[in-house]
């Protein structure tokens, strides 16, 4: 093999409980290296590289030449050493088809609340909102079926505004979609995110009967929730939401119900909010969305507050690790997602499925990258009447996946973060192509914690990854 050089951009070495671990960046996998691999990689990392012909005299242990060559071949296959140019490995995307599994229906731009931080650019009073009709919803679903006829399962998401303000359409879509998709011998799931103020026991029974995945937007205890999540009359909505979700959390059986928490300036108590939502109210899980790029700067977390948020997430994550080792899931959504990414070895060229496996459709039938772009000035990508703009989506996704000139090429979390959320970039920089640079250091720290956490759980209770964590993904 001649002179071999290490490729440090492809490996992140950590120690967990005194034992070395390699985080293999190209595949987002963890390895427990043996002593020979450690020594070979250390020698390859020296300035002059590693001369494989002179190795037997350089090693501190007696190893046969065949064993050395076999191990070097493994390291080369993993792109950890090379006898050519030293370069990081980054996955690339060449889009030839759009295997949609999810379509998000923006069933009403209207909302009955007036949350101060809402990112939706076109929210209206629900009476004046632009409501989707059944024909547009049907065309959206037909577009999904056309683009991905090979799928065995599809997901229809109802979004808004407040989706429950167009409940008649939701009922019509469920009835039609089940008949249409089941008739193809395929399965369909339904999902919605709601502020819960319009929930009734009759609606809950309907959602349960059709196995809806439900997420409730709720920001924590009364004082925190009422700070921003207010009605059009300026009154806080905590008491109403708490009443509405009580029967939901008490009786819903088909799928776990989660809470989505929006963290804005002055609100950083991750642990207290999680405790209230999960342990006091009874949500199965709570996930946190820090606001750093909203249109109204007064609501954006400061850099110091964002650091406190991530510190709180790590502290809560430590509790999650201890529970996982005991076989329990404490319902910390961000932590569970990070564990899942590591467990499944996801190596992503793009941050999410927007524009590939998922698109959002507005009331008029125009197609957006995802629900967060609905109502923005971002160009759309076709319509349900004319079909997807394949060329536009292909150009966008392939360009965004190329991070060679964007400072991401050598980052150790590049294949987990993949440049960050398109909409976060759009809101922060006015350009969805720009990586979310303001998150970089904190995200690296968060992933480092996740690697340590994953390794500890794998060492002490690997059944958790095949049990409670896997069950959460398939529920």
């Amino acid at each position: 093999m001649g002179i071999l050089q290490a490729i440090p951009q492809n490996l992140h070495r950590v120690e967990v409980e005194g034992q070395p671990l390699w985080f293999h960046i190209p595949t987002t996998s963890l390895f427990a290296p043996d002593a020979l691999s450690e020594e070979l990689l250390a020698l390859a990392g020296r300035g002059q590289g590693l001369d494989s012909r002179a190795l037997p005299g350089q090693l501190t242990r007696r190893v046969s030449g065949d064993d050395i060559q076999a191990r070097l071949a493994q390291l080369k296959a993993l792109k950890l050493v090379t006898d050519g140019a030293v370069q990081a490995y980054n996955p690339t995307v060449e889009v030839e088809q759009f295997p949609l599994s999810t379509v998000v229906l923006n069933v009403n731009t209207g909302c009955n609340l007036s949350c101060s931080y809402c990112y939706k650019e076109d929210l209206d009073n629900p009476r004046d909102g632009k409501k989707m009709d059944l024909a547009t919803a049907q065309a959206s679903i037909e577009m999904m079926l056309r683009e991905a006829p090979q799928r065995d399962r599809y997901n229809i998401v109802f979004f808004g505004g407040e989706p429950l303000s167009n409940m008649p359409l939701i009922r019509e879509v469920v009835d039609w979609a089940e008949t249409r998709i089941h008739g193809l011998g395929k399965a369909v799931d339904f999902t919605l995110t709601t502020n819960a103020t319009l929930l009734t026991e009759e609606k809950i029974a309907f959602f349960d009967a059709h196995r809806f995945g439900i997420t409730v937007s709720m920001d924590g205890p009364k004082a925190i929730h009422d700070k921003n999540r207010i009605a059009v009359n300026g009154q806080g909505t905590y008491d109403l939401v708490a009443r509405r979700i009580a029967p939901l959390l008490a009786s819903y059986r088909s799928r776990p119900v989660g809470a989505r928490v929006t963290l804005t300036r002055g609100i950083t108590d991750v642990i207290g909010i999680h405790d209230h939502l999960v342990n006091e109210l009874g949500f199965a899980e709570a996930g946190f969305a820090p606001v750093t790029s909203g249109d109204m700067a007064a609501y954006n977390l400061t850099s110091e507050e964002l650091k406190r948020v991530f510190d709180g997430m790590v502290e809560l994550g430590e509790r999650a690790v201890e529970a996982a080792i005991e076989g329990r899931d404490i319902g910390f959504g961000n932590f569970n997602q990070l564990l899942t990414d590591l467990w499944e070895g996801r190596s992503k060229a793009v941050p999410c499925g927007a524009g590939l496996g998922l698109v959002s459709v507005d009331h008029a039938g125009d197609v957006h990258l995802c629900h967060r772009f609905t109502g923005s000035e971002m160009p759309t990508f076709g319509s349900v009447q004319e079909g997807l703009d394949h060329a536009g989506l292909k150009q966008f996704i392939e360009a965004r996946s190329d991070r060679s000139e964007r400072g991401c090429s050598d980052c150790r979390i590049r294949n987990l973060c993949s440049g960050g959320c398109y909409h976060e970039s759009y809101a922060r920089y006015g350009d969805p192509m720009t990586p979310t640079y303001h998150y970089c250091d904190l995200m690296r720290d968060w992933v480092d914690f996740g690697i340590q956490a994953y390794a500890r759980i794998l060492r002490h209770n690997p059944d958790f990854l095949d049990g409670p964590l896997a069950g959460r993904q398939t529920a």
Side-chain angles (χ1 to χ4, degrees), residues 117-122 159-160 260 295 371-373 423:
Y117 53 60
C118 188
Y119 65 82
K120 297 298 293 179
E121 291 87 346
D122 63 343
F159 209 79
R260 183 188 185 278
D295 290 337
H371 56 283
R372 298 192 71 183
F373 283 103
H423 188 268

Side-chain angles (χ1 to χ4, degrees), residues 15 97 161:
E15 285 198 4
Q97 58 181 341

Side-chain angles (χ1 to χ4, degrees), residues 252-266:
Y252 207 71
R253 294 292 176 266
S254 57
R255 297 169 72 179
V257 179
R260 183 188 185 278
V261 180
T262 302
L263 299 173
T264 54
R265 185 168 299 182

Side-chain angles (χ1 to χ4, degrees), residues 398-458:
E398 290 183 355
R400 183 55 152 76
S401 70
D402 179 7
R403 291 161 281 144
S404 56
E405 303 300 324
R406 298 182 182 275
C408 299
S409 295
D410 297 342
C411 178
R412 64 180 180 268
I413 66 168
R414 61 184 181 269
N415 296 339
L416 283 170
C417 165
S418 305
C421 170
Y422 300 139
H423 188 268
E424 186 79 13
S425 297
Y426 179 76
R428 180 85 176 191
Y429 303 106
D431 177 14
M433 292 291 180
T434 302
T436 51
Y437 294 122
H438 59 297
Y439 263 17
C440 290
D441 289 339
L442 291 172
M443 281 301 298
R444 277 189 284 268
D445 290 345
W446 173 241
V447 172
D448 281 353
F449 166 74
I451 292 169
Q452 297 263 351
Y454 176 83
R456 287 158 58 194
I457 295 169
L458 191 63

